[in-house]
Amino acid sequence: MEFERLKEGQFDLICGQLVKSRCGRDKDRIFVIKEILDNDYVLLIDGYLRKLEKPKLKKIKHVKKINTALKDYKELNDSQIRKAIKKYKEDSVNV
């Protein structure tokens, strides 16, 4: 489980990228993009409430980009995704 830093100027979202929810009951929660459906919607997972089998459908305008992505996220299971998000939170607090 490795993180990949993305360029600051990169505007497009990519699969495996970390995002933060801007609104809704999951506000301020960190997710991983599982799939980009079209220009408006993405499927999000976090390993806790939104697992690989049942991702959350969310509008792109309701998420905030984080310039970090998971390498080989497709090979990870729910437990590993939870650990990756936890590690990212710990690393961002310690910086």
Side-chain angles (χ1 to χ4, degrees), residues 34-48:
K34 179 181 180 187
E35 186 178 342
I36 299 171
L37 300 177
D38 57 21
N39 290 335
D40 295 324
Y41 291 96
V42 290
L43 292 177
L44 304 175
I45 53 177
D46 69 354
Y48 290 104

Side-chain angles (χ1 to χ4, degrees), residues 7-45:
K7 296 178 184 174
E8 290 290 329
Q10 186 173 344
F11 291 104
D12 295 333
L13 296 172
I14 61 169
C15 292
Q17 184 172 2
L18 297 176
V19 293
K20 190 174 197 177
S21 176
R22 287 185 176 179
C23 58
R25 66 177 73 167
D26 58 5
K27 184 178 180 180
D28 295 329
R29 193 173 188 98
I30 294 178
F31 292 96
V32 176
I33 297 176
K34 179 181 180 187
E35 186 178 342
I36 299 171
L37 300 177
D38 57 21
N39 290 335
D40 295 324
Y41 291 96
V42 290
L43 292 177
L44 304 175
I45 53 177

Side-chain angles (χ1 to χ4, degrees), residues 4 24 28 44 57 84-85:
E4 175 184 359
D28 295 329
L44 304 175
L57 178 70
I85 292 173

Side-chain angles (χ1 to χ4, degrees), residues 61-89:
K61 69 181 182 178
H62 293 154
V63 297
K64 180 181 177 187
K65 276 186 3 175
I66 297 174
N67 290 328
T68 304
L70 290 174
K71 291 183 179 179
D72 302 326
Y73 78 98
K74 289 185 178 184
E75 299 171 5
L76 301 178
N77 59 28
D78 289 320
S79 173
Q80 293 168 323
I81 290 171
R82 283 193 302 267
K83 288 176 186 174
I85 292 173
K86 183 178 177 183
K87 184 175 188 264
Y88 170 77
K89 287 180 182 178

